[in-house]
Amino acid sequence: MKAEILCVGTEILLGDIVNTNAQFLAKELADLGICIYYQTVVGDNPDRLKEALKIAFSRADLVITTGGLGPTKDDLTKEVCAEFFNQKLEVNEESMNYIKEYFKSQNKNMVKSNEKQACFPKDSIILKNDCGTAPGCIIKDDNNTVMLFPGPPREMIHMFKNYAKPYLQKYQKDIFESKTLRICGIGESSVEDQIQDLIEGQTNPTIAPYAKNSEVTLRITARASSKKEAKDLIEPLKNEIYSRLAPFVYGEDDTCLEFEVAKMIINKNLTISTAESCTGGLIASKLINYPGISSVFNEGMVTYTNESKMKRLGVKKETLEKYGAVSEQTATEMAMGVAKNTKSNIGISVTGIAGPGGGSEQKPVGLVYIGICINGVTKVKQLNLKGDRNRIRNITAITALNFLRLECLNI
Amino acid sequence: MKAEILCVGTEILLGDIVNTNAQFLAKELADLGICIYYQTVVGDNPDRLKEALKIAFSRADLVITTGGLGPTKDDLTKEVCAEFFNQKLEVNEESMNYIKEYFKSQNKNMVKSNEKQACFPKDSIILKNDCGTAPGCIIKDDNNTVMLFPGPPREMIHMFKNYAKPYLQKYQKDIFESKTLRICGIGESSVEDQIQDLIEGQTNPTIAPYAKNSEVTLRITARASSKKEAKDLIEPLKNEIYSRLAPFVYGEDDTCLEFEVAKMIINKNLTISTAESCTGGLIASKLINYPGISSVFNEGMVTYTNESKMKRLGVKKETLEKYGAVSEQTATEMAMGVAKNTKSNIGISVTGIAGPGGGSEQKPVGLVYIGICINGVTKVKQLNLKGDRNRIRNITAITALNFLRLECLNI
């Protein structure tokens, strides 16, 4: 089965909202093993919608639409689709009663224009909307099927999961199973260099690399007749990638770097405190996003001024005078100081120049030192970053967490 | 000029990422007065990309692509577009030098595959990439133009604003001018209620409301023959909105709440320190995103444990025992304590239950207290939030900053 996603709505076309519906549907369909080769967005315009439907059905046998099921004159997706399938809309009593009940339950008045939301082609399958007034539907003939969903994501997602997915599952023979490996510490080209032969030799499973925010992900996807068979196909390839890229693989599937670092610290019974200058609380804030971190996170300090570095962390005045606040020596004393003053196993420190001001020839914007003190032993990493303040701070936080992860691996 | 947006990338097609590029470009093009009737997404497949290009150019004379300019074999947008325009790719020395320099400055090795990023059709206009290795380009013939942008949003946005927008502006007769008002502290429906008549009466300028992350924006857009004329159309409507919604309007155009708060503190010659529990450094980190904050930001403390609340902030043991860590009283002592201990004019504190665990019937997940001490006077705000840990922490940080902003207005 080949499918396409066709999102209808001038608010998407003009960029007033981001099209999260397409993402949700794309992911769900991919998981069902339904191939998608195109997504299209068209405004609330019947002629252009008809044109888009025609193109979509020239390439696919299933088209999934979102939007245009509302009560206003602009909402024409159902009308256009019915016409495309040469079918007429008529009132569906069950839907009409449902919509009436819905308004009653919300203590709102049903207006005349809502009645068109209860009209469907006679032979269509109606998809109940448990979260709003616009039911969806499935219209089909011998060759083609169109599934219509409302535009509001909450309504669409509920309808898809509860009524459309079971319908689609019946038509799929194969199962698709994916495993995502999350990688930090090496760039996309290096990752690809190291697994070039695997990428070139891919058939089933396939490997899809993707880079974002200083991380690389590799998604391994297998097609098989059962979940077990798919997993058995994925396993050896996954192990091969691990053998080449470990220790840079920090996690699998739905996780993130800070969660894996937090779990690692908790599992190893280590306590942690942070001392941040240019990242200004970003590292603490990321770690604290992990529920359960409270058992190991002692304290976070944002020591922006020299005074606070001396007072809170015990950085020596001479160190600041001789080497400056942004130096290997200061980063070392900050990490050691925060660990000591908070009685933590781990102290992590950051000092750097995030810009746009404050840089010099010797110490340009983007120069950052990260210190990590674990049980009294301190290591420092120097970064030379490019980009704006926001980027420098974010990459520093990610790099610091990954540095910590790599150091903790050996404990 | 009719344009279409064509986003290339299997990661969008399969729903691995949401297509924010299309939204950004759609908005920018709408602002320029360039009509868009379709957006399309296609995977990293040259045949289907060619097909999509053909369809797009049957409906439009300008196609804007994102993605597929990377160094890997999957990245084929430039190759396919050049072929479509019957042009050949050749090495552009300037780009090659730039890419080499880029790698050098990042202390990374340039690999062979990066070289193809420096190849362009001879007559194309190259769009510099100041944020990454993949330059974009404009390829055209007598009738059609294609503009190619890299996929990473940061690179694309910078390139569009700095190099592509000025190019497109030259071709537009009418000028579109927008003014965005940024609002925090009241919800979208309240905003709309208060300006209902203005929204209904809109023609030129238009008003587009949009809500996201506890903020509402109103975008006023005027079409005119000159920048001055457009501004004159916007001004009275803007003033009318201010007269109804101030003090909730915190800023205009490209700014954000934390920047406005930071500027306000700096302008008023106030110093600030933060004491955060459940937000864990988020407020400090947001403030520190503002360049220049160093002159007024004294210290940030992430006092997650009771011990640190007592030791660093002077919260009384009896207060914690009698009222608990999440209480109005603790928030008050935290705000006062951090201001006092760091000798700051302003102390801002947060204590709350971000969940998922830690809630009780009396103190459910989502209960948060924000304390603000300004020159010795402390006020506390109680929040009862819904949602997951991430949402609770983010809304708390935004609400705290807005609370601070409103309090500072009166100083």
Side-chain angles (χ1 to χ4, degrees):
Chain A
M1 195 188 285
K2 273 191 205 169
E4 288 201 24
I5 296 169
L6 175 56
C7 297
V8 186
T10 304
E11 69 281 9
I12 308 173
L13 200 61
L14 295 184
D16 287 335
I17 58 168
V18 64
N19 191 0
T20 56
N21 281 346
Q23 184 196 18
F24 171 83
L25 288 169
K27 207 164 195 163
E28 289 287 329
L29 292 170
D31 286 349
L32 284 166
I34 297 172
C35 294
I36 300 187
Y37 295 131
Y38 297 94
Q39 298 171 1
T40 309
V41 175
V42 63
D44 300 305
N45 174 295
D47 292 334
R48 284 192 281 270
L49 172 54
K50 208 180 296 173
E51 203 49 46
L53 262 184
K54 206 189 286 177
I55 291 172
F57 276 118
S58 75
R59 304 181 294 207
D61 37 32
L62 168 67
V63 174
I64 296 190
T65 73
T66 64
L69 302 186
T72 76
K73 285 183 185 164
D74 270 358
D75 295 304
L76 287 165
T77 307
K78 204 165 49 185
E79 287 74 2
V80 170
C81 287
E83 198 194 315
F84 189 86
F85 280 79
N86 280 317
Q87 299 187 18
K88 279 194 179 136
L89 297 176
E90 48 189 67
V91 173
N92 176 283
E93 286 303 332
E94 201 182 328
S95 297
M96 185 66 89
N97 289 335
Y98 166 75
I99 296 172
K100 283 180 182 165
E101 281 303 312
Y102 184 89
F103 275 96
K104 212 187 269 176
S105 75
Q106 302 274 307
N107 289 319
K108 286 180 186 165
N109 287 326
M110 177 168 167
V111 293
K112 185 80 189 158
S113 58
N114 286 107
E115 285 176 15
K116 92 182 182 90
Q117 298 188 295
C119 294
F120 294 94
K122 203 178 66 178
D123 296 326
S124 65
I125 299 166
I126 294 171
L127 302 169
K128 273 173 66 185
N129 186 341
D130 298 328
C131 313
T133 58
C137 69
I138 303 172
I139 308 174
K140 54 190 291 184
D141 60 18
D142 292 343
N143 305 311
N144 296 322
T145 304
V146 64
M147 298 180 99
L148 285 72
F149 292 90
R154 203 173 64 95
E155 300 177 24
M156 185 276 292
I157 290 170
H158 184 91
M159 190 182 289
F160 185 89
K161 285 192 174 168
N162 291 280
Y163 305 112
K165 199 171 176 179
Y167 176 88
L168 289 170
Q169 269 164 337
K170 283 187 298 188
Y171 291 86
Q172 284 311 101
K173 268 185 247 160
D174 279 350
I175 274 178
F176 278 71
E177 182 78 19
S178 283
K179 171 64 68 184
T180 301
L181 302 186
R182 301 191 171 273
I183 295 159
C184 193
I186 39 171
E188 189 183 15
S189 355
S190 302
V191 168
E192 291 194 15
D193 267 3
Q194 290 185 51
I195 58 165
Q196 194 63 43
D197 56 319
L198 303 177
I199 291 178
E200 280 172 4
Q202 62 177 313
T203 48
N204 185 21
T206 57
I207 308 174
Y210 180 63
K212 195 183 168 188
N213 293 340
S214 304
E215 293 192 15
V216 180
T217 59
L218 292 174
R219 191 163 69 149
I220 311 170
T221 306
R223 177 175 209 142
S225 59
S226 74
K227 223 177 163 91
K228 189 189 171 310
E229 195 189 317
K231 282 189 173 165
D232 289 347
L233 282 166
I234 289 171
E235 198 64 16
L237 182 56
K238 189 186 99 172
N239 292 340
E240 181 59 30
I241 294 173
Y242 262 100
S243 80
R244 299 189 191 186
L245 296 176
F248 298 109
V249 185
Y250 74 77
E252 297 181 5
D253 299 326
D254 284 334
T255 185
C256 56
L257 182 60
E258 55 261 39
F259 276 30
E260 294 304 315
V261 172
K263 280 191 256 178
M264 193 183 244
I265 299 170
I266 293 169
N267 287 340
K268 290 180 186 275
N269 268 320
L270 300 167
T271 52
I272 184 166
S273 287
T274 58
E276 302 180 60
S277 185
C278 68
T279 44
L282 207 53
I283 296 172
S285 157
K286 277 177 184 280
L287 283 172
I288 286 173
N289 208 18
Y290 183 73
I293 192 75
S294 55
S295 60
V296 299
F297 189 92
N298 284 342
E299 278 186 72
M301 312 227 187
V302 181
T303 51
Y304 218 59
T305 58
N306 276 350
E307 201 195 324
S308 61
K309 287 187 185 77
M310 292 185 282
K311 190 168 159 193
R312 306 287 172 203
L313 310 172
V315 174
K316 291 192 214 94
K317 203 177 171 195
E318 307 84 72
T319 306
L320 291 168
E321 280 168 2
K322 191 166 172 193
Y323 304 102
V326 178
S327 63
E328 193 184 323
Q329 291 79 3
T330 300
T332 305
E333 292 186 17
M334 285 172 73
M336 286 172 64
V338 78
K340 191 180 154 202
N341 287 1
T342 62
K343 299 191 186 78
S344 303
N345 300 109
I346 304 171
I348 180 162
S349 72
V350 167
T351 178
I353 303 158
S360 66
E361 205 169 314
Q362 282 182 315
K363 295 190 178 180
V365 168
L367 176 69
V368 176
Y369 293 92
I370 302 168
I372 289 182
C373 171
I374 304 183
N375 295 330
V377 182
T378 305
K379 289 191 184 172
V380 175
K381 196 184 193 80
Q382 178 185 329
L383 308 181
N384 301 285
L385 300 172
K386 294 247 174 227
D388 63 14
R389 184 173 177 87
N390 203 9
R391 182 169 188 266
I392 289 172
R393 295 177 66 228
N394 273 307
I395 293 189
T396 298
I398 292 166
T399 310
L401 289 169
N402 199 48
F403 182 19
L404 174 58
R405 183 182 68 83
L406 293 170
E407 289 302 313
C408 283
L409 279 179
N410 307 321
I411 297 178
Chain B
M1 196 190 283
K2 272 191 206 169
E4 289 201 23
I5 297 168
L6 176 56
C7 299
V8 186
T10 303
E11 69 279 10
I12 307 173
L13 200 62
L14 295 182
D16 287 338
I17 58 166
V18 64
N19 191 0
T20 55
N21 282 345
Q23 185 197 17
F24 171 83
L25 289 169
K27 209 164 192 164
E28 289 286 331
L29 292 170
D31 284 352
L32 286 167
I34 297 173
C35 294
I36 299 186
Y37 296 132
Y38 297 93
Q39 298 171 1
T40 309
V41 175
V42 63
D44 299 306
N45 175 295
D47 292 334
R48 284 190 281 271
L49 172 53
K50 208 178 297 171
E51 202 49 45
L53 264 184
K54 207 189 286 176
I55 293 172
F57 276 118
S58 74
R59 305 180 293 207
D61 37 31
L62 168 66
V63 174
I64 296 189
T65 73
T66 65
L69 302 186
T72 75
K73 288 188 183 161
D74 270 359
D75 295 304
L76 287 165
T77 307
K78 205 165 47 184
E79 286 74 1
V80 170
C81 288
E83 199 194 314
F84 189 87
F85 279 79
N86 280 317
Q87 300 187 18
K88 278 197 180 133
L89 297 176
E90 47 189 68
V91 172
N92 176 284
E93 286 303 333
E94 201 183 324
S95 299
M96 184 67 88
N97 289 335
Y98 168 74
I99 296 172
K100 280 181 184 163
E101 281 304 313
Y102 185 89
F103 276 96
K104 209 187 270 175
S105 73
Q106 300 275 304
N107 289 319
K108 285 181 186 164
N109 287 327
M110 178 168 167
V111 292
K112 185 81 189 155
S113 56
N114 286 107
E115 285 175 14
K116 90 183 183 87
Q117 298 188 295
C119 295
F120 294 94
K122 203 179 66 180
D123 297 324
S124 64
I125 300 166
I126 293 172
L127 302 168
K128 273 173 63 185
N129 187 341
D130 297 328
C131 313
T133 57
C137 68
I138 302 173
I139 308 174
K140 54 189 293 185
D141 60 18
D142 293 343
N143 305 310
N144 296 321
T145 305
V146 64
M147 298 180 102
L148 285 72
F149 292 91
R154 200 176 66 93
E155 300 178 24
M156 186 275 294
I157 290 171
H158 185 91
M159 189 181 290
F160 185 89
K161 285 190 174 169
N162 291 282
Y163 304 112
K165 200 172 173 178
Y167 176 89
L168 289 169
Q169 270 164 337
K170 283 188 296 189
Y171 292 86
Q172 287 309 104
K173 266 186 246 158
D174 272 353
I175 274 180
F176 280 72
E177 183 78 19
S178 284
K179 171 62 71 182
T180 300
L181 302 185
R182 302 192 170 272
I183 295 159
C184 192
I186 40 170
E188 189 183 16
S189 7
S190 303
V191 169
E192 289 193 18
D193 267 4
Q194 292 185 51
I195 58 164
Q196 193 64 42
D197 56 320
L198 303 178
I199 291 178
E200 280 171 3
Q202 63 177 314
T203 47
N204 185 22
T206 56
I207 308 174
Y210 182 60
K212 195 182 166 188
N213 292 342
S214 304
E215 293 191 17
V216 180
T217 59
L218 292 174
R219 191 166 63 150
I220 311 171
T221 306
R223 177 176 209 141
S225 60
S226 75
K227 221 178 165 88
K228 189 188 171 310
E229 195 189 319
K231 281 190 172 164
D232 288 347
L233 283 167
I234 289 172
E235 197 64 14
L237 183 57
K238 189 187 100 172
N239 292 341
E240 180 60 29
I241 294 174
Y242 262 101
S243 79
R244 300 188 190 187
L245 296 177
F248 297 109
V249 185
Y250 73 77
E252 297 181 7
D253 298 326
D254 283 335
T255 184
C256 56
L257 182 59
E258 54 263 37
F259 276 30
E260 294 306 314
V261 172
K263 279 192 257 178
M264 193 184 245
I265 299 169
I266 293 168
N267 287 340
K268 290 181 186 275
N269 269 320
L270 299 167
T271 52
I272 184 168
S273 287
T274 57
E276 303 180 59
S277 185
C278 69
T279 44
L282 207 52
I283 296 172
S285 156
K286 277 176 184 280
L287 283 172
I288 287 174
N289 208 18
Y290 184 74
I293 191 76
S294 54
S295 60
V296 298
F297 189 93
N298 283 342
E299 278 187 71
M301 313 230 188
V302 181
T303 50
Y304 217 60
T305 58
N306 277 351
E307 202 194 324
S308 61
K309 287 186 184 77
M310 293 186 283
K311 190 169 161 193
R312 305 287 170 202
L313 310 172
V315 174
K316 291 192 214 93
K317 202 177 173 194
E318 306 85 70
T319 306
L320 290 167
E321 279 169 2
K322 192 165 169 193
Y323 303 101
V326 178
S327 64
E328 193 185 325
Q329 292 78 3
T330 300
T332 305
E333 292 185 16
M334 285 171 73
M336 286 171 63
V338 77
K340 192 179 153 204
N341 288 0
T342 63
K343 299 194 186 75
S344 304
N345 299 110
I346 303 171
I348 181 163
S349 72
V350 167
T351 177
I353 303 157
S360 66
E361 205 169 313
Q362 282 182 314
K363 295 191 178 181
V365 168
L367 176 69
V368 176
Y369 293 93
I370 302 168
I372 290 182
C373 171
I374 304 183
N375 294 330
V377 181
T378 305
K379 288 190 185 174
V380 176
K381 196 185 193 78
Q382 179 184 327
L383 308 181
N384 299 287
L385 300 171
K386 297 244 175 239
D388 63 14
R389 184 174 177 87
N390 204 9
R391 182 170 187 269
I392 289 171
R393 295 177 67 227
N394 274 307
I395 293 188
T396 298
I398 292 166
T399 310
L401 289 168
N402 198 49
F403 182 20
L404 175 58
R405 183 181 69 83
L406 293 171
E407 288 302 314
C408 282
L409 278 180
N410 307 321
I411 296 177

